[in-house]
């Protein structure tokens, strides 16, 4: 969320309620990166730059002041898919709207939503026969190495623990946080792999704006977690039905 745009929006809609859809963060992050790779096959540096921006946006969005100043909640995509009736009733209760049949149709103003055109599922109607290739079932590792996953999973831990993607274990989290700190000063494995395709006249990996921006954000978020043990302005789960 652009801070200027958000401030301007809240000026005119001070009672706005924020509702965010989330998904397993590490899985979702890699999915965005895969999309950037598929869209920029011929421009190696743009592919790298877009991946950096995607990761920055995901991590930075975990700690927004807006989530504390406004009524805000997040709902898991997995819950919408696996328990639609129960989840939509929670959404209705939170927003103060009536439950209607249209909430269970993938439509917008009467038009069918066929999905993201870049997805291999584009144009398909979801059914129980297609769960195996549903995005929520994807395993991570196509782009991120085990070391990359360890770093990102640690930074995503407060969200993952709050929303049930991992079992809470704050003692292990403190150990992991300490162990990843020196790793943030060095390139991640996926960065080294992508940098091999940079044109000869491009700067070295660690001199690129994409590298400096991402690692500045990684270190900044690490400091927040080291001080507070969580992201103080992280969104909260959708309330349960009373």
């Amino acid at each position: 969320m652009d801070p200027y745009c958000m401030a301007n929006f809240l000026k005119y809609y001070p009672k706005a309620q924020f509702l965010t859809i989330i998904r397993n963060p590490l899985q979702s992050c890699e999915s965005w990166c895969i999309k950037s790779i598929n869209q920029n096959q011929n421009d190696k540096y743009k592919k790298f730059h877009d991946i950096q921006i995607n990761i920055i946006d995901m991590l930075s969005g975990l700690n927004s002041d807006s989530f504390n100043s406004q009524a805000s909640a997040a709902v898991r995509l997995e819950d919408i898919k696996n328990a639609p009736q129960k989840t939509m009733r929670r959404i209705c209760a939170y927003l103060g709207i009536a439950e209607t049949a249209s909430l269970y149709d993938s439509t917008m103003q009467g038009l069918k939503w066929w999905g993201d055109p870049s997805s291999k599922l584009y144009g398909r109607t979801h059914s129980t026969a297609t769960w195996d290739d549903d995005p929520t079932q994807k395993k991570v590792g196509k782009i991120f190495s085990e070391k990359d996953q360890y770093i990102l999973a640690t930074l995503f831990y407060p969200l993952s623990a709050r929303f049930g993607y991992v079992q809470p274990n704050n003692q292990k989290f403190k150990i992991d946080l300490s162990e990843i700190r020196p790793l943030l000063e060095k390139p991640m494995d996926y960065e080294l792999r992508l940098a091999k395709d940079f044109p000869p006249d491009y700067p070295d990996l660690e001199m690129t704006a994409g590298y400096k921006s991402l690692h500045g954000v990684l270190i900044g978020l690490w400091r927040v977690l080291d001080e507070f043990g969580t992201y103080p302005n992280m969104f909260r789960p959708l309330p349960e039905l009373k």
Side-chain angles (χ1 to χ4, degrees):
M1 298 178 292
D2 178 84
Y4 176 81
C5 293
M6 180 57 67
N8 204 40
F9 172 77
L10 292 176
K11 174 182 177 181
Y12 294 100
Y13 299 96
K15 296 182 179 180
Q17 294 170 266
F18 294 147
L19 180 62
T20 302
I21 297 179
I22 65 168
R23 170 181 160 197
N24 182 302
L26 194 57
Q27 181 191 70
S28 180
C29 187
E30 186 170 79
S31 179
W32 275 108
C33 294
I34 291 172
K35 182 177 180 180
S36 294
I37 287 176
N38 292 339
Q39 289 179 337
N40 298 294
Q41 290 289 346
N42 297 324
D43 191 331
K44 307 300 183 181
Y45 184 74
K46 187 176 190 317
K47 175 168 57 177
F48 164 77
H49 181 267
D50 285 356
I51 287 175
Q52 304 297 83
I53 294 300
N54 287 334
I55 298 175
I56 288 171
D57 286 348
M58 275 204 68
L59 287 167
S60 300
L62 297 176
N63 197 41
S64 170
D65 290 337
S66 300
F67 294 134
N68 269 343
S69 65
Q70 301 297 122
S72 63
V75 57
R76 301 191 341 160
L77 177 62
E78 294 88 348
D79 292 339
I80 293 176
K81 287 174 173 283
N82 295 321
Q85 284 76 23
K86 179 181 178 181
T87 305
M88 292 309 298
R89 286 168 188 155
R90 289 169 62 197
I91 292 175
C92 290
Y94 169 72
L95 296 177
I97 62 176
E99 182 182 6
T100 63
S102 65
L103 294 174
Y104 299 96
D105 291 328
S106 185
T107 58
M108 178 66 175
Q109 296 183 339
L111 299 177
K112 181 69 178 179
W113 166 246
W114 290 108
D116 188 328
S118 66
S119 171
K120 67 179 181 179
L121 299 179
Y122 180 66
R124 284 173 46 182
T125 301
H126 191 39
S127 69
T128 55
T130 62
W131 276 110
D132 287 345
D133 60 0
D134 186 86
T136 62
Q137 304 300 313
K138 286 185 177 179
K139 292 186 177 182
V140 179
K142 189 171 182 179
I143 294 177
F144 299 141
S145 68
E146 289 189 8
K147 186 186 80 172
D148 295 344
Q149 293 178 49
Y150 178 52
I151 293 170
L152 293 172
T154 302
L155 296 174
F156 279 130
Y157 170 80
L159 174 71
S160 298
R162 176 173 289 186
F163 285 87
Y165 292 111
V166 298
Q167 289 293 325
N169 188 334
N170 289 332
Q171 185 176 1
K172 182 179 183 301
F173 170 58
K174 290 179 181 179
I175 295 173
D176 292 341
L177 199 61
S178 176
E179 290 187 350
I180 71 168
R181 180 59 184 87
L183 301 178
L184 304 182
E185 304 282 355
K186 303 174 183 177
M188 296 174 74
D189 288 340
Y190 82 86
E191 292 178 309
L192 292 171
R193 189 167 61 252
L194 291 173
K196 291 179 180 179
D197 293 330
F198 285 177
D201 58 336
Y202 274 59
D204 292 338
L205 169 63
E206 294 180 53
M207 297 303 296
T208 63
Y211 176 89
K212 292 180 179 180
S213 297
L214 175 62
H215 286 261
V217 168
L218 297 179
I219 293 170
L221 291 176
W222 185 94
R223 289 172 177 160
V224 171
L225 294 177
D226 185 52
E227 179 177 356
F228 297 101
T230 188
Y231 297 114
N233 300 314
M234 188 167 60
F235 37 71
R236 294 167 288 277
L238 190 70
E240 295 289 345
L241 292 174
K242 295 180 180 179

